[in-house]
Amino acid sequence: MHQTCKDVIVEDHIHCGVWGTFLVSKRSEWHERLSVATTDNNLIGHAGAVLLRRCADRTGLTAALNKVLPRGKGPGWWDRGTVLVALAVSIVLGATSVSDISLLAHQVGVFGDPPSDCTLRRALAGLDSSALAALAKARARVRRRVWDLLARRVSGFAWLTVAGKLLTGWVIIDLDATLITAHSDKQGAAATFKRGFGFHPLGAWCANTSECLAMLLRPGNAGSNTVSDHIRVLAEAFVQIPVTYRKKILVRLDGAGATHELLEHLHQLNTLWRTVRFTVGWTITEVDEDAIAALPAESWSDSLHQDGTATTTAGVAELTGLNARVATWLPGLRLIVRRTKPAARHKAKLTALERATGWRYAIIATNITRMWGVAGSHHPQ
């Protein structure tokens, strides 16, 4: 390591050849003090935090965030990207408020002094719309590099296996909202549809790599099926996926995504060079139950476990041709019904049809032309 300004600025050779040689804060050299030992002396709790912080540094994420955020001058200045990475580490360690950045204080010997909660507040307050856009671009650049490294492994990229079928080439995006409880009055906190109080963010995750691609912060009273919110988060998630991995995308949503506008939008995302497929939860009405009741017994196939083996305790069937509701939706939309034996806690909520047949039913709508979740089926096409 070549020291260019004593105790203040150093040249980081670890990132050379990937991000080039650049000057970083001395605080970024925390890993130089680490060592590997086989004894039980000098061990720390929350050791996984070291891997998380090291991953951010080695992949170039910390440096990329520092580069796009405003830089200050003078003693005691914290690079804003480093502050955000420290915040992420503290959240993994259980932080639920800005003041919980102090969780890093008991690991001073590892990470050095953590930023103060005042520094963290100033860093967050400075993230306007332009800064957030710059952060998103930086994240996308780093993710492209990381996915390239994943693909170079002997095992290759993290393609998912569903019902025993390896979905090579398919990137799966899960879109879902979640409720976060606020225990006191805060900005954006509001009553939720489940009679709670807090926030209702909508996020997109990549199932292949378990990464959060995009997140839209929303008040607690935000609608669960707001089309504009779904389209916005989906667009931001697409941008985060490296271009070479956007050729085949499968989007999975629950019933909140079952709107005409959203499914039409997903359909329009298909191009000559990109295939977009979706599965979405479908609210069962009397029309759907009539179609289920009209299914011949031989229409049902055994469902498959994750490893591809069949089970007789669940079944699936095609419902499209028997259901009049499909005609009012997208051309080519299919309905797949699944039946399972109801758990004891669900028996009080069964419909008349479910009580009569002894099965509990769920329906998904999809534009996949051939399903891989039933016996003898194929990959999504």
Side-chain angles (χ1 to χ4, degrees):
M1 181 173 297
H2 174 64
Q3 192 164 333
T4 59
C5 184
K6 185 177 181 180
D7 296 331
V8 178
I9 298 177
V10 296
E11 188 175 86
D12 188 353
H13 289 284
I14 290 177
H15 296 86
C16 293
V18 177
W19 299 100
T21 300
F22 51 88
L23 299 180
V24 296
S25 167
K26 181 68 175 179
R27 297 186 181 97
S28 297
E29 300 304 314
W30 61 273
H31 59 270
E32 297 297 333
R33 299 187 299 273
L34 300 184
S35 62
V36 178
T38 57
T39 67
D40 59 356
N41 297 323
N42 301 318
L43 298 183
I44 64 167
H46 299 137
V50 175
L51 298 178
L52 181 62
R53 173 60 192 274
R54 192 78 175 104
C55 180
D57 291 352
R58 286 299 299 271
T59 58
L61 177 61
T62 307
L65 298 183
N66 283 331
K67 185 177 180 180
V68 300
L69 292 177
R71 297 182 61 85
K73 298 180 180 179
W77 172 264
W78 278 86
D79 291 335
R80 293 318 189 207
T82 302
V83 173
L84 295 182
V85 171
L87 172 61
V89 173
S90 69
I91 291 174
V92 171
L93 295 182
T96 58
S97 67
V98 171
S99 60
D100 285 341
I101 193 68
S102 60
L103 285 170
L104 298 178
H106 74 285
Q107 296 187 6
V108 170
V110 179
F111 299 116
D113 293 326
S116 66
D117 55 352
C118 293
T119 297
L120 181 53
R121 286 190 178 92
R122 287 192 293 269
L124 295 176
L127 298 179
D128 55 16
S129 58
S130 60
L132 292 175
L135 287 177
K137 291 181 179 179
R139 290 172 54 231
R141 288 194 300 269
V142 174
R143 180 170 288 106
R144 182 171 63 247
R145 167 63 176 165
V146 172
W147 283 28
D148 180 59
L149 293 174
L150 290 176
R152 295 182 188 180
R153 299 179 303 174
V154 175
S155 57
F157 188 73
W159 306 119
L160 288 191
T161 298
V162 176
K165 302 291 185 179
L166 183 63
L167 304 185
T168 303
W170 287 89
V171 172
I172 288 81
I173 298 176
D174 291 324
L175 224 64
D176 199 5
T178 185
L179 295 176
I180 299 177
T181 300
H183 298 285
S184 60
D185 190 19
K186 294 180 175 64
Q187 180 182 0
T192 69
F193 69 95
K194 288 192 175 181
R195 300 181 180 179
F197 181 80
F199 308 94
H200 193 190
L202 177 65
W205 290 263
C206 176
N208 302 74
T209 58
S210 300
E211 295 172 278
C212 180
L213 300 175
M215 182 71 68
L216 176 62
L217 302 181
R218 306 189 302 170
N221 56 3
S224 59
N225 58 353
T226 305
V227 176
S228 58
D229 290 348
H230 280 80
I231 292 177
R232 175 180 172 180
V233 173
L234 186 62
E236 292 178 357
F238 266 60
V239 172
Q240 288 298 314
I241 298 174
V243 175
T244 55
Y245 289 88
R246 297 181 198 172
K247 296 179 181 179
K248 293 191 290 186
I249 303 290
L250 173 62
V251 181
R252 303 188 298 195
L253 311 98
D254 61 12
T259 60
H260 289 270
E261 295 88 347
L262 181 57
L263 298 192
E264 289 170 359
H265 175 75
L266 288 167
H267 177 70
Q268 292 170 0
L269 291 176
N270 287 278
T271 65
L272 293 176
W273 59 272
R274 180 176 61 203
T275 300
V276 178
R277 296 291 180 257
F278 62 79
T279 62
V280 60
W282 185 268
T283 302
I284 297 180
T285 66
E286 291 183 2
V287 174
D288 302 301
E289 287 200 331
D290 291 342
I292 293 172
L295 280 170
E298 60 271 16
S299 297
W300 291 96
S301 300
D302 289 340
S303 184
L304 300 181
H305 291 297
Q306 182 65 17
D307 61 2
T309 58
T311 173
T312 58
T313 60
V316 291
E318 177 88 27
L319 197 63
T320 307
L322 297 173
N323 195 316
R325 290 180 65 195
V326 180
T328 64
W329 290 70
L330 284 176
L333 188 68
R334 302 174 63 205
L335 297 183
I336 307 298
V337 58
R338 184 172 186 263
R339 64 182 185 183
T340 56
K341 290 296 183 180
R345 66 180 183 277
H346 293 146
K347 290 186 177 180
K349 300 180 181 179
L350 298 181
T351 66
L353 173 65
E354 291 172 330
R355 287 194 295 270
T357 60
W359 294 96
R360 194 178 188 207
Y361 300 99
I363 298 177
I364 65 167
T366 182
N367 64 342
I368 299 174
T369 56
R370 291 188 296 174
M371 294 298 292
W372 69 95
V374 296
S377 59
H378 300 80
H379 291 201
Q381 292 188 1

